[in-house]
Amino acid sequence: MFRTLREDIQAVFDNDPAARNWFEVVFTYSGLHAIWAHRIAHWFYKHRMFTIARIISQASRFFTGIEIHPGAKLGRRLFIDHGMGVVIGETCEIGDDVIIFQGVTLGGTGKEKGKRHPTIGNHVVISSGAKVLGSFTVGDYSRIGANAVVLKEVPPNSTVVGIPGRIVRLNGERVGPLDHGNVKDPVYEMIKELQGKIEELQQEIAELRSRNDGGHAGRSDAGASQDGGSPVEAGHAGKGEATDSDGPKPGSDHGEAHGDKGNSGAMRETASDGGVGHDKGGDDRHDGNGS
């Protein structure tokens, strides 16, 4: 028993740089007080003196702000830092060298009997405000990020963050046990990747638009050089010609038609007169030759 007490005190020095001496640790660390009170309550619980065990547990909760059910099984060298608001359920099992920060809940998710709380492996760090709910195992050397809600099993050497908890790793390497602030956020990483994809697509769309605009401009210039003017002017000119050829306009166009008919008649008369003169000239020549 005294060996266990010494290990509990040493765990405080190993994990809290603010710890200065044994006297301060023994008389001022509420997490240490809650663990010691639980060891007494758990002894009564194992001997089926449940009421006495619960009285001790509730008294410890009143003085420390940490509620540990007498039926929970705690490993060696457990360290509860600050501890206010920590709740550990009846069928919870905690391994050795585990660190728990304030506001952590190790609870169940239903009213079923039997095992309904999580099993925490060795060398696990559970950061402040995290909720581990359900009957599953959190593997050794795993880390639960602050305010994470873990609802399913966690393999060893893993880091869990988010709501609900998602497993992430930091470059595939295990980091220091107290470095719980250096954790990648998978949601942020995914949003960052999607933002990069969106920027690439926007750049491709801009390039395609510039190519299409250049192609239209080249075709327009080629059409203008062939027609001797812009495509718009050529189109207006074609429309004007088509309108003139559709039919004569009233007034001046009708007079021009009559003038054309008169000119054609005069031309026929002139041609006939020329033919007569030509015949007369031939007769004269014939008479001269005859004479």
Side-chain angles (χ1 to χ4, degrees), residues 44-108:
F44 285 101
Y45 186 88
K46 289 193 300 183
H47 291 81
R48 304 187 65 82
M49 290 182 277
F50 302 120
T51 303
I52 298 176
R54 288 305 299 262
I55 291 173
I56 296 173
S57 173
Q58 291 301 308
S60 173
R61 175 179 177 272
F62 178 79
F63 285 106
T64 65
I66 301 171
E67 182 176 353
I68 306 176
H69 194 281
K73 298 178 180 179
L74 307 184
R76 299 168 60 183
R77 296 177 295 277
L78 172 64
F79 175 56
I80 302 177
D81 195 9
H82 302 292
M84 181 61 69
V86 170
V87 178
I88 301 176
E90 179 184 11
T91 61
C92 183
E93 301 177 17
I94 299 177
D96 299 335
D97 301 293
V98 173
I99 302 173
I100 297 176
F101 289 86
Q102 69 273 14
V104 169
T105 300
L106 305 179

Side-chain angles (χ1 to χ4, degrees), residues 251-270:
S252 61
D253 292 342
H254 186 67
E256 291 176 357
H258 283 288
D260 293 339
K261 288 181 181 181
N263 293 333
S264 61
M267 291 174 64
R268 285 196 297 272
E269 291 178 358
T270 304

Side-chain angles (χ1 to χ4, degrees), residues 15-184:
N15 296 292
D16 188 1
R20 293 178 175 85
N21 54 67
W22 286 56
F23 183 85
E24 180 183 4
V25 169
V26 170
F27 287 97
T28 63
Y29 273 70
S30 59
L32 185 62
H33 300 161
I35 293 173
W36 285 350
H38 170 76
R39 298 196 190 282
I40 298 172
H42 186 65
W43 185 89
F44 285 101
Y45 186 88
K46 289 193 300 183
H47 291 81
R48 304 187 65 82
M49 290 182 277
F50 302 120
T51 303
I52 298 176
R54 288 305 299 262
I55 291 173
I56 296 173
S57 173
Q58 291 301 308
S60 173
R61 175 179 177 272
F62 178 79
F63 285 106
T64 65
I66 301 171
E67 182 176 353
I68 306 176
H69 194 281
K73 298 178 180 179
L74 307 184
R76 299 168 60 183
R77 296 177 295 277
L78 172 64
F79 175 56
I80 302 177
D81 195 9
H82 302 292
M84 181 61 69
V86 170
V87 178
I88 301 176
E90 179 184 11
T91 61
C92 183
E93 301 177 17
I94 299 177
D96 299 335
D97 301 293
V98 173
I99 302 173
I100 297 176
F101 289 86
Q102 69 273 14
V104 169
T105 300
L106 305 179
T109 56
K111 298 180 180 180
E112 67 276 5
K113 298 292 184 179
K115 177 67 172 170
R116 60 188 183 277
H117 297 91
T119 298
I120 310 300
N122 300 323
H123 302 278
V124 174
V125 177
I126 306 177
S127 301
S128 58
K131 316 299 178 188
V132 184
L133 308 176
S135 178
F136 54 84
T137 300
V138 177
D140 298 343
Y141 295 97
S142 294
R143 297 162 58 233
I144 309 299
N147 295 315
V149 178
V150 184
L151 302 174
K152 59 183 179 180
E153 186 166 350
V154 178
N157 300 311
S158 299
T159 301
V160 179
V161 298
I163 302 175
R166 292 174 294 276
I167 299 172
V168 296
R169 291 179 175 83
L170 185 59
N171 299 324
E173 299 178 357
R174 190 173 74 250
V175 299
L178 294 180
D179 192 17
H180 51 83
N182 189 16
V183 176
K184 286 187 176 181

Side-chain angles (χ1 to χ4, degrees), residues 201-275:
L201 291 175
Q202 289 177 342
Q203 184 176 0
E204 291 180 2
I205 292 173
E207 292 177 357
L208 291 174
R209 286 179 176 176
S210 62
R211 292 177 185 176
N212 290 336
D213 293 341
H216 286 304
R219 287 195 293 270
S220 300
D221 295 340
S225 61
Q226 291 178 358
D227 298 337
S230 64
V232 178
E233 294 176 353
H236 285 298
K239 289 181 181 179
E241 293 175 0
T243 304
D244 295 340
S245 62
D246 288 341
K249 294 181 180 179
S252 61
D253 292 342
H254 186 67
E256 291 176 357
H258 283 288
D260 293 339
K261 288 181 181 181
N263 293 333
S264 61
M267 291 174 64
R268 285 196 297 272
E269 291 178 358
T270 304
S272 61
D273 294 339

